[in-house]
Amino acid sequence: MATTASMNAQSPKVAIKSVPAEKKVEVTVDGKAFTTYMWPDTLEKPVLYPITTASGIVVTRGFPPLANERQDHPHHVGLWFNYGDVDGFDFWNNSDAIKPDQKPKMGSVKHREVVKAESKGDHAVLEVKADWISGDGKTRLNETTTFTFRAAAGGVRMIDRVTTLAAAKGTGTVKLPDNKEGALGLRVIRALEDPAEKGGEFKDAAGRVTKMGDMDMSGVTGQYLTSEGKVGKEVWGTRGAWTKLSGTVGGKPVTIAILDAPGNPGYPTYWHARGYGLFAANPLGQAALSNNKDTLNFAIAEGRPATFRYRILFIDGNPSAADMQKYAAAWASTSGGSTSSNP
C-alpha cells in the first residue's frame, strides 16, 4: 500500500494542461490519460470525466451512456459536486432531459474561471471558480474548488477535492435542507455495478420516477464496503468515514474509494450508494437517508462559508479493510481544517 512517504520517494509525473477553447483541463500521468475537468454547454455543472486507472481502465460511465450501459439518470456524469435543494431549487437532477416547464425549479453550477493549473512533478493542482445559479437567474452560492491530482507506484491514483461554498452577496443565508440527492457523486461503469441490482423504479426527492429494466448481469462484479462493515445494499443510508467499491474489469481487480474528512459538515457522511452505479457521499441529506433518525438542515450564512474535503482513490487492486483504514488515517491527518455554517 502506498504511503505519503513512498509517494514522495518514487512517484509518476503528473501533468496538467488547460484547453480553454474546448472548455476543459486535461490531466495525465506519465503521458497517459488520468482525467479531464470539463464544462461543456450540454451539462448543467462542471465534472471530471472520464476517469482512468493506472492500468488504463476507464471507471466512469459513458457520456452520453454507451449502448451496453444503463441509459438512466442523464445528470450522472463522471465525478461532480452539487445538491438537490438549495433555497428550494434542485441542482442535482438538472440536465438537458428536464422538461422546459420544470427548468425554473432547477439550478445550474456555472464554471467561471480556471484560477490555477500547475504541474508540480508528483502532483498537479487545479483551482477553479464557479457560481451556483437558481432557475430564477439568481446566484445563490459562489464556489471555489481546488483539485489535487496524485499518482503513486503500485497502481494508485488520487483526486483530492476541496470545495468552499460561500453565500453570494445579498443572499443572506442560503438554506440546504436535508435532501436525498447529493452531494459528491460518481457514476461508474457496468462492471462495477452490483450484480444483485435487477432494475426497478427509483424516485428522486421531487417524486420523479426513473424506470430501469433488467439487464444482462454477466461481467458485473461491484461490491460496496464501508468503514463500519456494511456491504452491498446495506450501505445506502448509513454513515461511514469511507466506502470502497471493488470489482473486476477485464479480469483485473479495480477499486474506487471515497474518503470523508473529519472537519467536514455532517461527518461521518451518509452514503447515497446505489447498486446501479451511483456512488455518492451525502453529508447533508441526513433526514432523508436515515428515515428521520438524524436531521441537519444545513445552511450557509453570508460571510460564513463552508468547506468540504474529500479524497477519491482509484486503485488497480482490492485493498483490505485494514488497508483502507490506513488510507483514511493518512487523509484525516493531512486534510485538516474546520467549517463554518448557520444551520
Side-chain angles (χ1 to χ4, degrees):
M1 190 184 113
T3 64
T4 300
S6 65
M7 286 173 60
N8 291 336
Q10 183 181 2
S11 296
K13 183 179 180 181
V14 184
I16 191 166
K17 178 183 178 183
S18 183
V19 191
E22 299 180 27
K23 298 185 177 182
K24 66 181 183 180
V25 179
E26 299 173 334
V27 183
T28 58
V29 178
D30 289 339
K32 298 179 180 179
F34 181 2
T35 191
T36 296
Y37 172 83
M38 56 187 286
W39 60 97
D41 295 336
T42 52
L43 289 178
E44 299 293 345
K45 57 187 175 288
V47 300
L48 293 180
Y49 172 85
I51 302 175
T52 307
T53 70
S55 65
I57 296 171
V58 175
V59 295
T60 42
R61 182 182 69 165
F63 165 61
L66 303 175
N68 63 340
E69 295 178 321
R70 295 188 188 272
Q71 306 296 303
D72 59 89
H73 299 88
H75 51 281
H76 292 173
V77 180
L79 177 71
W80 70 93
F81 185 92
N82 59 12
Y83 195 58
D85 189 342
V86 180
D87 278 348
F89 294 89
D90 183 354
F91 283 72
W92 178 269
N93 288 287
N94 199 4
S95 75
D96 58 7
I98 291 293
K99 295 179 179 179
D101 66 332
Q102 295 293 309
K103 276 290 186 179
K105 304 175 183 179
M106 312 304 286
S108 302
V109 182
K110 295 298 185 182
H111 168 86
R112 293 305 187 205
E113 180 185 2
V114 174
V115 178
K116 179 191 300 183
E118 296 180 354
S119 302
K120 297 180 177 291
D122 65 349
H123 67 284
V125 176
L126 172 65
E127 182 181 341
V128 296
K129 290 185 180 296
D131 291 333
W132 292 42
I133 302 174
S134 49
D136 58 1
K138 183 177 180 179
T139 298
R140 303 280 167 168
L141 295 168
N142 302 128
E143 173 186 331
T144 300
T145 291
T146 299
F147 297 97
T148 304
F149 303 96
R150 309 180 192 273
V156 178
R157 290 183 172 182
M158 303 182 185
I159 299 172
D160 296 345
R161 176 171 184 144
V162 179
T163 292
T164 297
L165 299 178
K169 186 176 180 180
T171 56
T173 296
V174 178
K175 297 179 180 179
L176 293 86
D178 293 30
N179 189 283
K180 177 171 66 72
E181 315 290 7
L184 178 75
L186 174 69
R187 185 64 189 260
V188 303
I189 56 173
R190 286 276 294 139
L192 293 178
E193 293 179 17
D194 185 340
E197 182 62 68
K198 301 300 183 183
E201 294 186 353
F202 294 85
K203 290 184 179 181
D204 66 19
R208 290 181 291 257
V209 175
T210 296
K211 296 182 179 181
M212 292 187 292
D214 292 344
M215 296 182 70
D216 178 9
M217 302 306 289
S218 58
V220 176
T221 61
Q223 185 175 65
Y224 291 110
L225 172 68
T226 76
S227 58
E228 308 309 301
K230 300 294 185 181
V231 177
K233 289 187 175 181
E234 297 177 354
V235 170
W236 191 90
T238 64
R239 304 181 91 140
W242 56 263
T243 290
K244 71 164 185 164
L245 173 60
S246 298
T248 302
V249 183
K252 299 178 180 179
V254 175
T255 295
I256 304 170
I258 300 176
L259 313 182
D260 199 6
N264 278 346
Y267 178 87
T269 186
Y270 273 90
W271 296 98
H272 184 21
R274 294 294 198 183
Y276 61 76
L278 172 64
F279 185 8
N282 185 358
L284 307 183
Q286 296 188 10
L289 294 168
S290 70
N291 195 25
N292 295 310
K293 181 181 70 175
D294 295 328
T295 303
L296 181 63
N297 283 328
F298 195 69
I300 301 175
E302 198 168 342
R304 298 184 64 189
T307 298
F308 301 79
R309 298 170 173 85
Y310 299 96
R311 172 167 284 178
I312 307 97
L313 303 174
F314 304 90
I315 302 172
D316 289 324
N318 187 358
S320 66
D323 287 338
M324 288 303 308
Q325 289 296 130
K326 294 177 182 177
Y327 279 119
W331 171 234
S333 70
T334 59
S335 56
S338 60
T339 60
S340 299
S341 64
N342 281 325

